Amino acid sequence: MTLVRISDDALARACGADALAAAFEQHGCTVHRVSSWGMQWLEPLVEIDGKGFGPATLDDVAAILDGTSDLAIGVIEDHPFIAKQQRLTFARAGKTRPTSLEDYAATGGWNGLKRAREIGPEQIVEEVLHSGLRGRGGAGFPAGIKWRTVAAAPGSQKYIVANADEGDSATFADRMVMEGDPYALIEGMAIAGQAVGADQGYVYLRSEYPDAIAKMNRALELCADIIAPFQCEVRVGAGAYVCGEETSLLNSLEGKRGEVRAKPPLPALEGLFGKPTVVNNILTLAAVPHILGQGGANDYEALGMGRSKGTMPIQLAGNIKHGGLYETAFGITLGELVNDIGGGTQSGRPVKAVQVGGPLGAYLHPDQFDIKFDYEEYTASEALIGHGGITVFDDSADMGGMARFAMEFCAAESCGKCTPCRIGSVRGVEIIDRMRAGRKRDTLERQPQMHNTPKQDRSAEDEVTLLADLCDVMKSSSLCALGGFTPYPVLSAMRHWPEDFSDNPDSVRNALDRVGT
């Protein structure tokens, strides 16, 4: 009987994988629903004897089975998109059934936890420190330092919280871990608990991920005895973007309004319910089982460049020909990712801009495609790696409109606690609207009771200066990254595409030069 492997990843299912699996079963095949390989432009991808066919439809079933299909891509592991990767976190992608304990154990699962229990808390922390693992959620803070802080904090009750509130545009790696390899995340959390003395964990998961919620709950039920005495539960958030920020997440987890907390105190000292808490991203925790494997810390530290160690699961999306998940060591250039691996734009038009790091990331110009995927190099270029999401735009994109969207998004998603974010984002939308419409003052400013507004119309350069000034206040004064990072896409769009903001782009350039932005 022919064994057919088809992903049950949410994206594959949205493309018709469930009906396709049923069709193969009707043809007498045994179908295994496995995790996704991450080649999303080929979903639903059918695998038989290691060879792939995609994107497949119901009309292709007979031809695939009799060997006449023109959808054949050859051996999947030899495909250039897969063969060039350095998969550690996603080593099982496409190969295992997501909630099968048998498949997980057969591919090295639980070895890291077993060794962690043998070497003890102090050595666990030292190995995570040695590996150079940094938070993959955006901040890039060294995971080992956070763990060491929680381990040293006084208190009989400590917590491990997995931040699965994946809300950035072009990001789906967290979802792929939870839907495709949930035990890797659970094992990483159990190891973290062993390291810091925590016996309770929570996965904070957004409600928009129903498949991930179901997979995580099922996996936790099946492996409860393996990870004991560590216990773990799923908690579902309502989908607020700001709850991706760790203190807002903790408030939501406690049943409070998802609102940013002022720091200090740090969550590592006073986190969930006021207790010392490790809050890590899904990719951070899922990398830990490999690091705790024999020699894994040395192998991990040897990859990457500078202080950016190990691998990063990079997510390619937007107007791109070969969208999907590409895990590789830090140091690869943006040009390689977009043009060589991603194949350029899906539309076939020239690339105009690339946004890295979600809706708060800077827009990068093709002239910057030699930038290497490295936390420090991106910071030096006033850009963000964030969660590793890459959104590609072709030359039809309106970058003035995209800058406006950044401010509008911030206004809509702000928790409202701090003025620079709550009010500044609204004022930012108004300024950009005036710039693009060629208006000097808005109707509110013209009201007679507005005594502090300008008595004379602003010049185009004055509007740019005002927007740059506002961005500076937001960056330096916002309580969290939502308000603090929103200026990145705005300023980068103005800097590289001033013609999308004004009929007189020279005025935009001159104003930016004058304020040094």
Side-chain angles (χ1 to χ4, degrees), residues 65 72 96 131 138 153 164 192 195 197 213 228 282 284 317 360 487 500:
L65 290 174
T96 56
S131 74
I213 294 169
I282 301 304
T284 312
L360 308 181
D500 287 356

Side-chain angles (χ1 to χ4, degrees), residues 214-234:
K215 293 274 187 68
M216 286 302 304
N217 279 323
R218 179 58 177 159
L220 285 168
E221 179 185 344
L222 292 173
C223 74
D225 291 341
I226 298 173
I227 63 173
F230 185 76
Q231 296 180 324
C232 189
E233 302 174 31
V234 171

Side-chain angles (χ1 to χ4, degrees), residues 5-297:
R5 297 158 69 86
I6 299 174
S7 173
D8 65 354
D9 174 89
L11 183 140
R13 295 184 64 215
C15 293
D18 290 348
L20 193 64
F24 275 104
E25 288 176 340
Q26 289 172 4
H27 278 72
C29 300
T30 298
V31 177
H32 282 183
R33 304 304 298 273
V34 295
S35 53
S36 172
W37 283 95
M39 296 190 288
Q40 295 179 344
W41 78 97
L42 292 174
E43 293 289 6
L45 179 62
V46 175
E47 180 183 351
I48 300 175
D49 295 330
K51 297 177 181 178
F53 303 85
T57 67
L58 296 177
D59 295 335
D60 299 311
V61 173
I64 290 173
L65 290 174
D66 66 23
T68 61
S69 173
D70 58 2
L71 298 177
I73 64 168
V75 176
I76 295 177
E77 288 193 286
D78 293 340
H79 191 283
F81 190 87
I82 299 296
K84 294 179 181 179
Q85 296 192 42
Q86 294 167 292
R87 287 193 161 179
L88 301 180
T89 304
F90 283 87
R92 297 181 186 86
K95 301 176 182 178
T96 56
R97 292 166 291 181
T99 57
S100 168
L101 285 170
E102 179 185 357
D103 287 5
Y104 188 68
T107 51
W110 311 119
N111 288 347
L113 179 58
K114 179 181 178 181
R115 183 165 178 267
R117 288 167 171 167
E118 293 171 352
I119 63 178
E122 290 186 11
Q123 187 60 30
I124 296 171
V125 173
E126 284 304 312
E127 295 204 11
V128 173
L129 277 167
H130 176 68
S131 74
L133 176 67
R134 295 167 69 170
R136 299 293 190 250
F141 188 79
I145 293 178
K146 184 180 289 189
W147 289 20
R148 185 171 62 189
T149 303
V150 175
S156 58
Q157 180 64 63
K158 300 177 182 181
Y159 296 103
I160 307 297
V161 174
N163 183 348
D165 194 63
E166 186 174 51
D168 283 351
S169 49
T171 59
F172 43 83
D174 288 356
R175 176 185 61 76
M176 287 184 63
V177 168
M178 292 183 289
E179 291 182 5
D181 198 9
Y183 295 122
L185 168 60
I186 296 167
E187 183 177 4
M189 293 180 70
I191 292 171
Q194 186 78 16
V196 306
D199 61 3
Q200 179 66 51
Y202 294 96
V203 180
Y204 184 88
L205 221 166
R206 58 195 302 111
S207 59
E208 293 92 334
Y209 281 178
D211 288 16
I213 294 169
K215 293 274 187 68
M216 286 302 304
N217 279 323
R218 179 58 177 159
L220 285 168
E221 179 185 344
L222 292 173
C223 74
D225 291 341
I226 298 173
I227 63 173
F230 185 76
Q231 296 180 324
C232 189
E233 302 174 31
V234 171
R235 288 288 181 267
V236 179
Y241 182 80
V242 76
C243 285
E245 191 278 333
E246 62 179 0
T247 62
S248 294
L249 183 157
L250 293 175
N251 272 342
S252 178
L253 200 53
E254 292 176 5
K256 301 173 184 174
R257 187 171 184 267
E259 188 177 71
V260 176
R261 300 177 185 175
K263 291 184 281 190
L266 297 171
L269 299 175
E270 293 183 31
L272 186 63
F273 304 117
K275 304 299 182 182
T277 304
V278 170
V279 183
N280 276 142
N281 168 261
I282 301 304
L283 299 181
T284 312
L285 291 163
V288 169
H290 169 81
I291 290 170
L292 263 291
Q294 195 67 41

Side-chain angles (χ1 to χ4, degrees), residues 305-333:
M305 63 176 288
R307 293 175 51 224
S308 301
K309 301 295 187 181
T311 62
M312 182 70 183
I314 298 167
Q315 300 123 92
L316 304 175
N319 191 339
I320 192 165
K321 188 175 182 181
H322 297 150
L325 183 130
Y326 194 89
E327 184 177 0
T328 189
F330 285 94
I332 191 170
T333 67

